Amino acid sequence: MSQVLNTLQQHPAQMVLRAAYQDGRPSAWIAQRANIAAVELPYTVGGSEAAKDLYGLFDDTVARLLKGAQ
């Protein structure tokens, strides 16, 4: 993990992404130490409350990415 943090310091990232089915602890750990957002993305239709169809999946994904980039 220290190598990941060193890479982030050399090449700053805006956020850490993870799929909804993945454990959130590793991305939260990296995000906290790099002082960036950890963003959970829905992986398929039904992957989140807002992703009820394909359009909802795209809208929710874009909204989460924009929120994480702030």
Side-chain angles (χ1 to χ4, degrees):
M1 290 311 237
S2 64
Q3 187 177 22
V4 171
L5 290 175
N6 287 337
T7 300
L8 286 174
Q9 289 174 348
Q10 294 172 5
H11 307 283
Q14 289 186 324
M15 65 190 87
V16 178
L17 302 177
R18 73 175 177 89
Y21 59 83
Q22 293 175 317
D23 184 0
R25 292 177 293 180
S27 60
W29 187 89
I30 292 171
Q32 179 184 16
R33 282 156 181 80
N35 199 28
I36 57 177
V39 178
E40 177 185 301
L41 298 179
Y43 59 95
T44 189
V45 172
S48 72
E49 183 72 28
K52 295 181 180 177
D53 57 21
L54 191 57
Y55 295 108
L57 173 65
F58 293 154
D59 288 343
D60 190 27
T61 299
V62 170
R64 289 171 185 241
L65 290 171
L66 290 172
K67 184 178 178 185
Q70 294 178 352

